[in-house]
Amino acid sequence: MPELPEVETVRRGIAPHAIGQRIRSVTVRERRLRWPIPAGLEAMLVGRRIAAADRRGKYLVLALDNGDRLIVHLGMSGRLSVLTAETALKKHDHVDIVLASGLILRFHDPRRFGAMLPWPATQAQHPLLAGMGPEPLDADFDAGHLHGRSRGRRQALKPFIMDGHIVVGVGNIYASEALFRARLRPGMAAGRLSRPQAERLVAAIRATIAEAIEQGGTTLRDFAGADGNPGYFRQELSVYGRAGQPCRVCGEPIRARLIGQRSSFYCVRCQR
DNA sequence: AGATTCGCCTGAGAGC
DNA sequence: TGCTCTCAGGCGAATC
């Protein structure tokens, strides 16, 4: 499940092959993603040079030399891979972006929760990116921000930190992991977060995300980087998917519970 | 406005 | 073996 570390891993994998490359051709085999791929997407891309490969939250943003941009979201099961021209097509290979080098950027997404949308240069802000919270690794994500935004909130802490308006990129896996690291219960009301707890949570989210990026993300089933390799953060997971197994810190069996319709994992002893 | 629920999808795994 | 059912989950949109 691509969360921020997985998307960043993909971005880093793609950037050296994509930046500076002119787009030779584009083939769209399936337009029905989360939103349909607009008919004009191919024309926008072909002949342009890729100037940058950026990321905002879980959105990849490929900037073109004329200021137009391509937004890519991997959804649940999406992959964006750098492949050689002769790589055989697989089921769910929806889009090929063929570069002047001969390499292909191939978008593959069985569940089609992903998206591929144009962001014209004439459009200052894209609706999907407007209103997004700070990046967890940026300086403007700090205890003051998190504590301030949590005031008056009765929502559970876990869905609160998964809300992209509060902070971007924290999905279901890293939310459970960061809360364990911060020693906070996922079900506690966000509004009851003390200032010192907010300090701890910010530090925990930062550390969790940063370490996951270093490991190339977490591969449970689907995820692979641009080179097709899995991420190795799975072996670092403290609580996610470990229901019934002993807490790595205190030995207490890890509990699983639905919070905000999402499976959540925590240690009742370590997390108060 | 905040909180919750829904819906989009396919593949994997469980159960029969 | 093969069918059916359940679950997973990002996140915008709809609803309460």
Side-chain angles (χ1 to χ4, degrees):
Chain A
M1 293 96 239
E3 300 184 29
L4 190 151
E6 290 72 36
V7 178
E8 177 61 18
T9 297
V10 168
R11 189 195 69 77
R12 291 180 183 187
I14 278 166
H17 300 286
I19 294 174
Q21 286 292 315
R22 202 168 286 283
I23 296 170
R24 187 188 289 167
S25 63
V26 175
T27 303
V28 179
R29 300 180 194 84
E30 174 60 82
R31 311 196 88 88
R32 297 173 303 166
L33 303 183
R34 168 114 202 235
W35 298 278
I37 297 177
L41 192 88
E42 294 94 321
M44 181 188 92
L45 295 174
V46 172
R48 300 260 64 101
R49 195 182 293 274
I50 297 173
D54 302 316
R55 178 189 57 73
R56 181 75 175 95
K58 298 174 193 170
Y59 292 91
L60 285 166
V61 181
L62 297 185
L64 306 177
D65 55 359
N66 64 346
D68 287 344
R69 287 145 295 195
L70 172 68
I71 293 179
V72 181
H73 197 290
L74 300 178
M76 261 290 296
S77 56
R79 291 189 186 192
L80 192 61
S81 314
V82 177
L83 301 167
T84 54
E86 58 271 17
T87 308
L89 271 180
K90 294 200 191 75
K91 198 177 176 183
H92 309 302
D93 284 343
H94 304 316
V95 180
D96 278 3
I97 298 174
V98 183
L99 305 174
S101 63
L103 292 175
I104 300 175
L105 283 180
R106 180 166 288 168
F107 181 75
H108 169 96
D109 185 10
R111 265 155 272 188
R112 293 195 273 119
F113 278 17
M116 198 170 271
L117 297 168
W119 179 9
T122 52
Q123 206 173 352
Q125 185 55 280
H126 193 282
L128 285 174
L129 306 183
M132 288 176 80
E135 290 284 327
L137 298 181
D138 283 359
D140 55 345
F141 175 61
D142 59 16
H145 167 79
L146 194 70
H147 190 251
R149 293 298 300 270
S150 68
R151 294 308 83 190
R153 295 269 197 145
R154 284 180 297 181
Q155 188 181 30
L157 193 52
K158 180 164 170 278
F160 174 73
I161 62 171
M162 290 174 67
D163 182 344
H165 302 281
I166 304 301
V167 57
V168 297
V170 181
N172 202 38
I173 297 172
Y174 298 119
S176 277
E177 292 298 310
L179 287 165
F180 174 78
R181 194 171 188 129
R183 308 190 311 278
L184 295 169
R185 286 280 175 98
M188 80 177 271
R192 296 183 63 87
L193 198 66
S194 72
R195 179 65 191 230
Q197 288 174 332
E199 304 270 0
R200 255 157 56 201
L201 186 50
V202 165
I205 290 172
R206 281 229 183 87
T208 302
I209 296 284
E211 286 176 21
I213 291 173
E214 281 174 32
Q215 298 292 319
T218 301
T219 295
L220 294 180
R221 187 191 302 158
D222 292 320
F223 174 73
D227 54 8
N229 292 327
Y232 297 102
F233 193 71
R234 182 176 189 170
Q235 59 210 52
E236 316 279 329
L237 295 177
S238 295
V239 290
Y240 184 86
R242 297 193 63 244
Q245 297 175 49
C247 171
R248 298 193 202 281
V249 173
C250 74
E252 180 80 15
I254 298 298
R255 307 276 181 94
R257 181 159 87 84
L258 277 182
I259 298 172
Q261 312 294 81
R262 292 296 146 87
S263 57
S264 308
F265 302 88
Y266 61 104
C267 171
V268 288
R269 235 157 111 184
C270 293
Q271 294 170 259
R272 310 249 175 212

